[in-house]
Amino acid sequence: MSAILLRDLRSYAVTMTGWVFVAFILVFMGIFTMTYNLTGGYGNFEYVLSELKIVYLVGVPVLTMRSFAEERRSHTDQLLYALPLSSGSIVVGKYLAMLAVLSVPLVAACLVPPVLATFGDVYLPTAYLTIGAFFLMGAACAAIGMLVSSLCESQVTAAVGCFVILLVDYFLTSLVDYIPADAATAVVVLTIAILLAGAGLTALTRNGIFAFGLAALAEVVLVAVFLINGSALEGLVGDMLSGPSLFDRFSPFVNGIVDLASVTFYLAVSAAFVFLTIHVFDSRRWR
């Protein structure tokens, strides 16, 4: 794992990817700090990070796009398959390299609150709590980007795919207001979700019969619930769409609240997408 970690860190250092990501985050951090803290006179660095989270929409796809897509394009993935390392060690090594690059601008961010404190009142615990939560949110986004990259052969395709997923997640809660809360709408939306899940499971397992068999079973259960107790589905779509928003879950930390549910959610998303990436890599390795 350490060999993969060091290899990818060198790759980020000698190419523009790592430098562009770090510079991109730092530039916008400086702009928001100047706007809120210096010009606006606010002593809350957490407000800067609250606005900075939108930068992940572009920064994370840039950071993660080459992790596996470039390996497949240049056929260096064959070397990874031949290494005497488990698929988990290879994927986790790459993921840790991403987290190392992700942490660089946040280490710089840790220096900002003490500097601001020399000019006014800054509540340091909230500032550093928000920085930690910002890292966890970035780690979850990076895990999503890594999975997308493992499914693509083009860096551009991987970057665009990751951007679209994060963009939808960013506006997920806003979209809820435009979705009717009745049971019939819930059935339609959940049916679409079941079909997409079946297609995704087919891509991961290469077993369409198994995947769509589960999808058919889920659809039967959904229709049965609708016919027996349709009121149970009312408002369900809104609750389901607002829950998975990575970006909305960052808000409690900005207000100084230690939201353990959000911390658990970030860690669970990171672990789940790393696991899926391991599965994708392993399936290609033995094929």
Side-chain angles (χ1 to χ4, degrees):
M1 183 189 300
S2 60
I4 299 296
L5 170 62
L6 294 175
R7 171 182 176 270
D8 274 43
L9 285 177
R10 282 195 297 268
S11 176
Y12 284 122
V14 300
T15 61
M16 292 297 295
T17 304
W19 297 105
V20 167
F21 173 79
V22 173
F24 190 67
I25 299 293
L26 290 179
V27 165
F28 279 92
M29 187 187 300
I31 292 173
F32 290 135
T33 300
M34 181 180 66
T35 302
Y36 283 93
N37 302 127
L38 301 182
T39 304
Y42 293 101
N44 305 84
F45 183 66
E46 52 270 21
Y47 293 169
V48 172
L49 296 178
S50 180
E51 295 297 326
L52 191 65
K53 65 185 180 181
I54 196 173
V55 180
Y56 272 157
L57 296 180
V58 177
V60 170
V62 171
L63 176 65
T64 61
M65 64 182 183
R66 62 177 291 119
S67 57
F68 285 98
E70 177 63 17
E71 301 276 11
R72 293 183 66 189
R73 188 196 66 81
S74 60
H75 301 293
T76 53
D77 58 335
Q78 303 299 321
L79 299 176
L80 294 179
Y81 298 152
L83 290 175
L85 295 173
S86 66
S87 299
S89 297
I90 294 172
V91 172
V92 172
K94 282 182 166 292
Y95 183 59
L96 291 178
M98 293 179 202
L99 296 188
V101 177
L102 177 68
S103 66
V104 172
L106 298 187
V107 170
C110 291
L111 304 176
V112 178
V115 173
L116 295 177
T118 61
F119 298 97
D121 295 330
V122 177
Y123 192 59
L124 295 180
T126 300
Y128 287 113
L129 170 67
T130 310
I131 291 173
F134 193 78
F135 175 78
L136 291 178
M137 179 174 60
C141 292
I144 294 173
M146 184 173 65
L147 175 62
V148 175
S149 181
S150 70
L151 296 172
C152 301
E153 293 186 11
S154 166
Q155 292 187 54
V156 175
T157 305
V160 172
C162 180
F163 171 76
V164 170
I165 292 174
L166 295 182
L167 183 67
V168 171
D169 185 86
Y170 187 85
F171 290 107
L172 205 54
T173 304
S174 300
L175 294 174
V176 172
D177 298 332
Y178 299 95
I179 298 177
D182 59 282
T185 301
V187 171
V188 173
V189 173
L190 291 176
T191 298
I192 295 173
I194 289 172
L195 291 174
L196 292 175
L201 191 59
T202 300
L204 290 173
T205 62
R206 302 292 179 180
N207 190 335
I209 297 177
F210 171 74
F212 282 97
L214 287 180
L217 178 61
E219 185 64 21
V220 169
V221 173
L222 175 63
V223 173
V225 172
F226 175 71
L227 294 176
I228 296 173
N229 185 17
S231 60
L233 299 175
E234 295 179 359
L236 180 62
V237 175
D239 295 337
M240 291 179 61
L241 291 180
S242 59
S245 178
L246 295 171
F247 297 94
D248 279 357
R249 285 182 174 272
F250 183 66
S251 299
F253 300 100
V254 176
N255 297 322
I257 300 173
V258 182
D259 190 351
L260 294 179
S262 295
V263 171
T264 303
F265 179 75
Y266 286 143
L267 294 176
V269 169
S270 300
F273 279 89
V274 168
F275 174 78
L276 289 175
T277 306
I278 293 173
H279 180 80
V280 171
F281 181 85
D282 203 41
S283 64
R284 287 205 178 98
R285 187 179 198 177
W286 297 113
R287 215 169 46 237

